[in-house]
Amino acid sequence: MSELPDAHVEWDAGRLGCGEVLVMLRSRMRRLAGGQVLKVTVRDLGAPEEMPAWCRMTRRRLLRADHPDYWIEQRQEP
C-alpha cells in the first residue's frame, strides 16, 4: 500500500451529506495556501463519486481517495 499524503489540516465531516460537505468544503479550502492538503472524512455513500467530481470542477487535485477519507490539494493561484 502506498504512503498516505501529509495533511496540513484534517476535517471530519461527521454524518453530513455530500451536499452540505461540498458547500462547507469550499470555505475550508479557501483558508489553505496553494499546495497545502486537506484530509476530509466524508461518510456519505455518494462521496466516492461526488468528491472527485467536485475536485475536477474546482481545479483542485485529489491526491488520494480511500472512502471515507479524501486528501485534496489546494490549487496554486497564478
Side-chain angles (χ1 to χ4, degrees):
M1 178 177 241
S2 64
E3 215 172 288
L4 298 177
D6 289 331
H8 295 88
V9 178
E10 293 190 22
W11 174 40
D12 185 339
R15 298 221 173 260
L16 292 176
C18 273
E20 294 168 295
V21 169
L22 297 179
V23 168
M24 295 173 76
L25 187 56
R26 182 175 181 222
S27 66
R28 287 179 180 268
M29 291 301 296
R30 284 184 172 181
R31 296 179 201 155
L32 299 178
Q36 288 189 319
V37 175
L38 170 70
K39 176 189 172 198
V40 60
T41 302
V42 185
R43 290 172 187 80
D44 187 288
L45 296 178
E49 292 178 12
E50 298 292 330
M51 297 301 287
W54 184 86
C55 290
R56 282 190 306 275
M57 291 180 1
T58 62
R59 299 183 353 252
R60 289 178 173 95
R61 190 168 155 220
L62 181 61
L63 299 175
R64 183 172 175 139
D66 188 12
H67 187 74
D69 298 318
Y70 300 85
W71 287 262
I72 304 169
E73 183 179 60
Q74 176 63 307
R75 66 178 175 247
Q76 301 282 345
E77 295 298 329

